[in-house]
Amino acid sequence: MRFLLALWLTFGLASVTQAQSKTQLAVDASIDAELADLVKLYKQLHANPELSLQEVKTSATMAEELKKAGFEVTSKFGGYGVVGVLKNGTGPTVLVRADMDGLPIIEKTGLDYASQVHTRNKEGVEVGVMHACGHDVHMSCFIGTARTLAANKAQWQGTLLFIAQPAEEVVAGARAMLDEGLYSKFGKPDFALALHADPLKPVGVVSYTDGLALANSDTVDILVKGKGGHGAAPHLSIDPIVLAARIILDLQTIVSREVNPLDPCVVTVGSIHGGTKHNIIPNEVKLQLTVRTTKAEVRKDVLAAIERIAKAAAVGAKAPEPEIVVSETQFTPATINDSTLVKRTTKVLGGVLGEKNVQTRPPLMGAEDFGRFSKGGVPIFMYFLGTVSQERYDAAQKPGAPALPGMHTDSYFPEPDRAIRAGVRTMSAAVIDLLQVK
Ligand code: ZN
Ligand code: ZN
């Protein structure tokens, strides 16, 4: 009996591993056949970035590529959103998401395929445009995964729901697609996956957070009102600049004195505008804030504290009540990776890249609208894909060496071929695992 058990364990396990490696070999062969073309696609996307809510050409490329891969495609869904569906028998539905927008940054990488694009933002100001958040990597991995899964239908069974999402950088795109009825029209997925480029880790490494990965993000506008006058006669005015300065300093006590120190929280005043000239006291000053929290109750308390402090400061200065607007549309909820899905998928990623290359990372106070795809209880998982060449990574680890350029900087660039290969391998394996043929 013991012998039989040992025999079964040996051959049973061997056949499972063999089946897995057979799948991996088939998948790797597809990826390697596509890689040169994916890098070409990457360079084309990188050189032609578009700002949030302006993803006209990018979304057309995504639609065309998904169609070519055999997906049924719906375009202009929730703005420039693209939805691709590929059915392959009965089984669960897996959503895979890539985001498409670039950032208003003038690229300074010096690459021969660097973006030269300039455009006007929605305020009409001319800006450079750059894929400085790696959304071009996301799209290339996304199309690579679509092609790989379409070429390996024998390895999985179920439905692929591939989403090319616009306007992530202004956290509007996921919401727009969901509000247009993504889940009611195309079916609620059983799982949702995404990857995000990591500018600080080498290619071949992925990292992830189990549970809370990214924070709640709120945008608050405060219009501080005063009474304008001559700069030489402040006693006849109510100076909104002095009042705004007081409000900014008072706001610092929310995190330091009001919130439990064990609850992470950020209140940043990122912009202050008021006045036109040295000797004029203006009527008003505009403040723009970003607020990051990780718990719903802390979010509520912090937003209430901002309002209370701004109003109280105005009372103290005999000023009119300030106008405070917490943006509904720019709110994005925290990204909370589903623990069961994380455990299952990271095991698969470890099989692809080697366990030591699948690392945990602490949560960030940054925000992403991928969290919205958990609507209705869909388990979600976003992992970070190392994108920097090993050589550049090693050089940056040396004492005194300059740090690698981070996300949203004008100098960030990935090593496209190896990063895309790792992205497609990991994402394809994760999807195949969730759609295992019984
Ligand atoms: Zn970004
Ligand atoms: Zn991003």
Side-chain angles (χ1 to χ4, degrees):
M1 189 64 196
R2 193 175 290 165
F3 170 73
L4 280 179
L5 185 67
L7 202 69
W8 180 86
L9 273 174
T10 312
F11 287 100
L13 282 179
S15 64
V16 168
T17 325
Q18 260 171 18
Q20 273 178 347
S21 62
K22 229 175 103 190
T23 303
Q24 192 62 55
L25 283 175
V27 166
D28 283 354
S30 303
I31 296 168
D32 290 335
E34 296 291 344
L35 196 57
D37 194 60
L38 291 171
V39 173
K40 208 172 118 202
L41 173 69
Y42 166 79
K43 289 183 177 171
Q44 180 207 323
L45 292 166
H46 186 82
N48 296 284
E50 292 173 299
L51 289 180
S52 310
L53 303 167
Q54 302 179 14
E55 305 91 340
V56 185
K57 286 182 281 173
T58 312
S59 63
T61 304
M62 289 299 102
E64 195 187 306
E65 289 294 341
L66 285 175
K67 256 182 228 160
K68 272 202 280 179
F71 285 63
E72 212 170 284
V73 174
T74 306
S75 293
K76 300 216 167 89
F77 192 86
Y80 288 110
V82 178
V83 182
V85 177
L86 185 66
K87 290 193 170 134
N88 183 30
T90 49
T93 297
V94 179
L95 181 151
V96 176
R97 174 270 211 169
D99 38 9
M100 300 188 283
D101 47 339
L103 286 158
I105 293 177
I106 298 171
E107 179 161 352
K108 301 229 172 92
T109 58
L111 295 164
D112 57 4
Y113 52 90
S115 163
Q116 310 289 338
V117 176
H118 281 72
T119 188
R120 289 191 184 277
N121 66 12
K122 68 178 193 316
E123 285 81 32
V125 178
E126 192 177 319
V127 290
V129 192
M130 176 185 175
H131 270 301
C133 200
H135 296 187
D136 44 1
V137 176
H138 307 175
M139 288 186 276
S140 309
C141 292
F142 171 83
I143 295 301
T145 305
R147 291 182 191 174
T148 303
L149 293 171
N152 289 277
K153 278 189 178 166
Q155 317 291 350
W156 59 275
Q157 208 170 293
T159 301
L160 305 177
L161 183 59
F162 268 52
I163 307 298
Q165 183 211 302
E168 186 282 323
E169 296 291 357
V170 294
V171 295
R175 183 191 178 117
M177 293 187 83
L178 287 159
D179 285 355
E180 197 158 324
L182 182 67
Y183 289 176
S184 55
K185 286 186 183 145
F186 298 95
K188 193 171 119 185
D190 298 283
F191 309 97
L193 298 173
L195 57 76
H196 200 293
D198 185 341
L200 304 178
K201 290 261 188 218
V203 281
V205 169
V206 295
S207 62
Y208 69 95
T209 313
D210 190 345
L212 179 95
L214 296 157
N216 293 306
S217 171
D218 277 285
T219 295
V220 184
D221 285 276
I222 303 178
L223 182 64
V224 180
K225 295 180 178 173
K227 185 170 160 246
H230 198 292
H235 58 295
L236 301 176
S237 71
I238 299 169
D239 188 342
I241 289 188
V242 172
L243 176 53
R246 189 178 299 156
I247 290 172
I248 291 167
L249 290 180
D250 285 354
L251 291 176
Q252 308 309 311
T253 62
I254 298 173
V255 176
S256 66
R257 302 291 88 179
E258 289 196 36
V259 175
N260 184 333
L262 296 175
D263 284 326
C265 177
V266 179
V267 177
T268 291
V269 180
S271 155
I272 169 167
H273 285 95
T276 52
K277 198 175 180 301
H278 312 66
N279 59 357
I280 300 174
I281 292 170
N283 283 317
E284 55 193 37
V285 170
K286 287 177 186 161
L287 302 179
Q288 296 182 313
L289 284 71
T290 188
V291 178
R292 307 298 168 103
T293 51
T294 60
K295 288 183 184 162
E297 62 272 24
V298 177
R299 173 178 178 246
K300 202 169 127 248
D301 290 349
V302 171
L303 293 175
I306 289 170
E307 189 169 336
R308 192 192 72 238
I309 285 170
K311 285 183 178 170
V315 171
K318 292 188 290 183
E321 190 169 284
E323 272 172 34
I324 301 161
V325 179
V326 179
S327 170
E328 280 258 339
T329 51
Q330 291 194 54
F331 164 64
T332 194
T335 301
I336 302 169
N337 287 327
D338 178 80
S339 214
T340 311
L341 181 60
V342 167
K343 285 185 179 67
R344 178 173 175 174
T345 302
T346 49
K347 206 178 277 178
V348 175
L349 303 187
V352 176
L353 298 174
E355 263 166 44
K356 72 171 188 350
N357 294 320
V358 180
Q359 303 169 356
T360 55
R361 60 188 287 141
L364 296 176
M365 296 306 277
E368 242 285 350
D369 64 2
F370 178 63
R372 287 206 178 269
F373 291 104
S374 65
K375 187 178 180 178
V378 174
I380 63 166
F381 180 34
M382 167 180 270
Y383 60 93
F384 285 83
L385 176 77
T387 58
V388 187
S389 73
Q390 191 66 47
E391 299 72 39
R392 287 181 69 216
Y393 177 81
D394 291 343
Q397 308 312 307
K398 294 197 177 111
L404 286 164
M407 232 176 255
H408 289 209
T409 65
D410 57 13
S411 323
Y412 163 58
F413 66 94
E415 185 185 26
D417 46 355
R418 293 181 61 210
I420 293 166
R421 188 171 190 272
V424 180
R425 288 184 85 214
T426 48
M427 189 55 87
S428 301
V431 175
I432 288 171
D433 173 68
L434 296 170
L435 298 177
Q436 270 176 59
V437 181
K438 294 277 169 356

